[in-house]
Amino acid sequence: MSILLNLIKRHKAGEVVGIYSVCSAHPLVLEAALLQAKEDNTPLLIEATSNQVDQFGGYTGMTPADFRHFVEQLADQVGFPRAQLILGGDHLGPNRWQGLPAEEAMANAEKLIEAYVAAGFEKIHLDCSMSCQGDPIPLSDSIVAERAARLAVIAEQTAEKQGLANRIVYIVGTEVPVPGGEAEEIAELEVTSPQAAKATINAHQEAFSRVGLDHIWPRVVGLVVQPGVEFDHTKVIDFVSEKAQALSQVVNDYENLVFEAHSTDYQTEEAYKALVKNHFAILKVGPALTFALREGLYALCAMEEYLFPAAQCSNLRTVLEAQMLAHPENWKKYYHGSELEQCFARSFSFSDRIRYYWTNPDIAKAVDKLFTNFAQMDIPLPLLSQYLPEQYLAVREGKILPKAKDLVLDKVRAVVRQYAKASFFNH
């Protein structure tokens, strides 16, 4: 039995257990997550999204096979066992090709699914909720489910060829907003109604049955819903378990199902624990990880200015701002307001559009320069106390070294630790 299926069965048997899903392709973020999971002695689920990794390379330039190789290399470097590593694909469907006619978009989606499964991804989120050219808006549950079932057929055929039969687990349904995050400020959220959740489940079960996939329904383990959690540029909507009580009971009627919660970034530790207890047993995290990474790098930049001559400094923040202004396509439609407000958002928005820029050659060079400056130095404790107070305490307690990379990794690991406590140590 796969690790995921076993975890779901334990949860369904009444154990307060879940799993968190790391949705990032940044090597430092992934290294931090691998190190934390190694210390915790838990499995680690890492997911790529359909806009990040696809058969054409996505915005990372990686195919699913490339991404697997990339993650496994990082795992080997830190000594994390490959057997404990789970790879997933998020929002797999026609998302990248919504501007094409539906049939053409779905043909691309079939190749996408084939590439993910062939590369050994075991957790597949089938998401065909987006309207393509010529489609009604929004799509009906039946059309969404019919398209998802079409992709499930491809996934199963590919798994059979790869010797992975019965190992693929599926997630269905979607949340609002679609992948990419909120473009506008949010005032309140509507929790998915029990009726809507049941309608999505039943539509997918019927569609799977029509294409002869009744036998794989026990491996449909997750339904994506909106439990009432979200964030925009400066605010977080916190989970309130009372508002989700009726929804949380829905999965009790289904033998193998739990909920998958997206956009759980920036919730409190207690909220994560409550989510898992209320059957939102798969917790997705993405921007909060790169947000913490950026915080760590900016803290190093501030300390750098006190420790090195101006000519030797990386000027990372200046380089980032210049490159984001020169290439505004990843933030322009998300950040509005005055020039000052847009400038603030580019660095500090919770939606963290800055995460799309770390691979920019000039920015990557500045990051390298920043780490090189600190390479031979233990950072003075007073500066750590000022700019990285949590890491200062960890250094004082002998848990980490006062080295630049260790400090940045620990910033990211602090986020991962919250998820790990809720998922695996929720007593």
Side-chain angles (χ1 to χ4, degrees):
M1 183 184 297
S2 75
I3 292 171
L4 268 177
L5 277 173
N6 184 49
L7 279 168
I8 300 301
K9 287 190 180 298
R10 285 168 57 193
H11 184 94
K12 297 297 285 186
E15 195 174 340
V16 184
V17 64
I19 192 166
Y20 60 93
S21 169
V22 172
C23 303
S24 179
H26 196 290
L28 285 173
V29 166
L30 295 180
E31 182 178 348
L34 286 159
L35 286 167
Q36 190 59 45
K38 180 185 176 184
E39 182 179 301
D40 293 336
N41 192 27
T42 62
L44 181 63
L45 171 59
I46 295 174
E47 298 205 50
T49 60
S50 56
N51 57 351
Q52 201 177 44
V53 171
D54 67 19
Q55 67 269 43
F56 305 113
Y59 74 72
T60 62
M62 285 188 278
T63 65
D66 294 333
F67 186 79
R68 181 182 188 91
H69 179 65
F70 165 63
V71 172
E72 287 181 341
Q73 277 192 313
L74 287 171
D76 292 346
Q77 285 169 20
V78 305
F80 184 81
R82 290 190 183 189
Q84 289 285 88
L85 184 63
I86 309 160
L87 292 181
D90 199 22
H91 294 291
L92 301 186
N95 176 48
R96 290 274 282 177
W97 306 286
Q98 295 175 54
L100 299 177
E103 191 51 44
E104 197 175 336
M106 284 299 294
N108 280 335
E110 287 183 344
K111 294 295 184 186
L112 175 73
I113 291 288
E114 185 180 1
Y116 268 84
V117 175
F121 285 65
E122 291 183 34
K123 177 180 177 288
I124 301 295
H125 175 205
L126 300 171
D127 182 7
C128 296
S129 61
M130 53 288 298
S131 298
C132 300
Q133 184 184 318
D135 275 340
I137 302 174
L139 294 179
S140 66
D141 272 344
S142 60
I143 293 175
V144 171
E146 177 190 327
R147 291 178 181 177
R150 174 177 165 178
L151 297 183
V153 169
I154 301 298
E156 287 297 300
Q157 290 172 348
T158 308
E160 192 76 40
K161 289 178 195 170
Q162 299 294 321
L164 295 170
N166 301 317
R167 284 196 66 83
I168 309 298
V169 299
Y170 296 96
I171 310 295
V172 297
T174 193
E175 90 287 17
V176 178
V178 295
E182 282 284 1
E184 306 296 339
E185 288 193 0
I186 46 175
E188 60 179 310
L189 273 181
E190 191 172 326
V191 174
T192 301
S193 71
Q195 295 76 17
K198 288 177 181 177
T200 299
I201 295 167
N202 295 338
H204 280 80
Q205 189 165 12
E206 289 164 11
F208 277 43
S209 182
R210 284 195 296 272
V211 295
L213 291 181
D214 281 306
H215 64 288
I216 77 163
W217 189 251
R219 288 188 277 118
V220 179
V221 299
L223 175 69
V224 180
V225 289
Q226 175 50 268
V229 301
E230 190 52 89
F231 56 91
D232 61 20
H233 305 314
T234 59
K235 297 192 298 295
V236 179
I237 292 185
D238 292 312
F239 178 64
V240 179
S241 58
E242 290 77 15
K243 292 183 179 179
Q245 275 306 300
L247 172 62
S248 71
Q249 300 309 309
V250 167
V251 291
N252 292 333
D253 297 334
Y254 301 88
E255 188 177 349
N256 304 290
L257 272 175
V258 296
F259 291 121
E260 176 168 289
H262 292 211
S263 300
T264 66
D265 308 68
Y266 312 110
Q267 295 288 309
T268 66
E269 195 169 302
E270 289 307 308
Y272 294 129
K273 290 179 179 179
L275 279 161
V276 175
K277 286 177 181 174
N278 282 276
H279 310 309
F280 303 95
I282 306 171
L283 302 176
K284 307 296 285 284
V285 56
L289 298 167
T290 41
F291 184 91
L293 172 76
R294 192 269 313 150
E295 283 186 321
L297 292 172
Y298 272 26
L300 288 182
C301 288
M303 292 186 280
E304 182 186 37
E305 292 172 3
Y306 287 102
L307 296 171
F308 299 95
Q312 192 180 334
C313 288
S314 64
N315 299 309
L316 173 59
R317 287 172 298 187
T318 304
V319 173
L320 266 166
E321 177 68 359
Q323 290 303 314
M324 290 182 80
L325 288 172
H327 307 282
E329 56 274 9
N330 288 311
W331 61 266
K332 195 71 174 175
K333 71 177 182 180
Y334 295 89
Y335 299 155
H336 309 299
S338 68
E339 285 189 20
L340 200 61
E341 288 168 328
Q342 289 182 34
C343 180
F344 171 85
R346 281 193 292 274
S347 276
F348 300 110
S349 169
F350 280 139
S351 63
D352 190 49
R353 305 302 298 180
I354 207 171
R355 70 187 185 274
Y356 294 100
Y357 291 87
W358 294 115
T359 55
N360 173 286
D362 289 352
I363 295 170
K365 186 177 176 183
V367 172
D368 288 343
K369 175 69 170 170
L370 180 65
F371 281 124
T372 300
N373 278 342
F374 284 106
Q376 305 304 319
M377 175 185 290
D378 283 358
I379 297 174
L381 290 175
L383 282 179
L384 284 184
S385 180
Q386 175 68 42
Y387 291 106
L388 289 170
E390 289 180 21
Q391 284 63 46
Y392 163 79
L393 289 175
V395 169
R396 295 284 290 115
E397 292 166 0
K399 294 177 180 176
I400 60 172
L401 295 172
K403 302 289 187 184
K405 185 178 177 184
D406 296 67
L407 296 164
V408 172
L409 288 173
D410 193 69
K411 278 290 289 184
V412 181
R413 287 179 68 169
V415 177
V416 180
R417 281 192 285 269
Q418 286 192 310
Y419 282 88
K421 283 180 187 176
S423 299
F424 297 108
F425 312 108
N426 197 346
H427 306 305

